[in-house]
Amino acid sequence: QGCCGSLCVHEGERERGKLLARQTIECFERANVDAVAVNAAGCGSVMKEYWELFQTDPVYAKRAEAFSKKVRDVSELLAGVPLCGQLHPLNLTVTYHDACHLAHGQKIRQEPRRLLKTIPGLRFVELKESDFCGGSAGIYNLLHPEPAQQLLDRKIERIKETGADVVVSGNPGCSLQIEKGLRERGLQIRVMHPVELLDWSYRGVE
């Protein structure tokens, strides 16, 4: 399968991104699937917009459009079907950070929250400014470390206010940035993906 090309597209390297996108489209055409579940918001945002990337390409325009219609964020997919199996209680206080590529790019906000709230025993606390950027923004934190750190400091303060044991994010860039901020402050708060918490609940992790 390989890379979907989203990082290249985000950095403006559209031709390199299109090369990787073609490979992704071809891979899933061979798989002949009904849906493509994505657990990284930045990837999913671009994969849902392959149609725009190839709209003037006579070979890939229709293929890209057909592929984009199949792409679903994993929380979007799971929130749309009944969950199977027994969920065990998790004695945790949890808050949720809205990744930009999920909340703004894909307009997905409630689905991850609904998934978290299905877990028995879990105490969900809303995060103030939950969709305010934490400073990762692709490679923004590498190119502009000082303003990125200011954004991160603001995000960490908001997370501290919740008293959460776990902060949940649906994008790896956000998660890495937030984890960096928590470690710098010496805060014992875990950063997890929604599916990881569902897995803990299914397995009955203490």
Side-chain angles (χ1 to χ4, degrees):
Q1 178 184 331
C3 177
C4 68
S6 65
L7 289 174
C8 297
V9 174
H10 293 153
E11 294 170 27
E13 297 182 6
R14 289 172 69 88
E15 291 308 312
R16 173 64 178 164
K18 286 166 76 172
L19 175 64
L20 296 169
R22 289 187 189 98
Q23 295 172 358
T24 303
I25 291 168
E26 291 166 2
C27 172
F28 284 100
E29 283 177 342
R30 291 191 297 271
N32 191 29
V33 296
D34 297 314
V36 179
V38 187
N39 66 355
C43 298
S45 184
V46 169
M47 292 164 76
K48 285 183 175 182
E49 294 180 354
Y50 275 0
W51 66 270
E52 185 274 334
L53 204 59
F54 291 105
Q55 60 184 339
T56 60
D57 188 314
V59 177
Y60 279 86
K62 289 185 178 179
R63 296 165 71 180
E65 184 178 3
F67 173 84
S68 289
K69 289 179 179 177
K70 294 181 178 182
V71 177
R72 300 285 186 277
D73 183 76
V74 66
S75 65
E76 180 183 18
L77 197 62
L78 290 174
V81 297
L83 294 178
C84 300
Q86 181 183 359
L87 291 169
H88 299 89
L90 292 182
N91 183 26
L92 292 170
T93 301
V94 175
T95 194
Y96 178 75
H97 161 72
D98 281 291
C100 292
H101 277 112
L102 202 55
H104 303 302
Q106 301 184 54
K107 311 301 181 189
I108 295 173
R109 294 174 180 267
Q110 296 309 316
E111 292 87 341
R113 288 170 168 83
R114 285 207 301 268
L115 281 178
L116 293 172
K117 290 174 182 178
T118 62
I119 299 174
L122 184 146
R123 297 174 296 282
F124 182 80
V125 180
E126 276 291 350
L127 178 65
K128 290 181 182 177
E129 301 179 337
S130 64
D131 62 353
F132 194 89
C133 182
S136 175
I139 58 171
Y140 182 80
N141 56 348
L142 302 178
L143 299 177
H144 307 283
E146 290 184 10
Q149 185 66 45
Q150 292 173 4
L151 292 169
L152 177 58
D153 290 342
R154 181 168 171 173
K155 178 63 66 174
I156 298 302
E157 281 301 311
R158 294 292 176 265
I159 292 170
K160 278 178 62 180
E161 290 170 3
T162 66
D165 305 303
V166 176
V167 56
V168 174
S169 163
N171 194 55
C174 300
S175 296
L176 287 169
Q177 178 81 342
I178 291 171
E179 191 163 5
K180 168 183 176 289
L182 293 171
R183 286 182 178 179
E184 288 173 348
R185 302 279 191 98
L187 298 171
Q188 301 301 309
I189 303 173
R190 294 192 63 146
V191 184
M192 299 180 72
H193 191 280
V195 171
E196 289 183 286
L197 276 177
L198 275 177
D199 176 60
W200 274 18
S201 180
Y202 274 122
R203 292 191 290 118
V205 174
E206 293 293 334

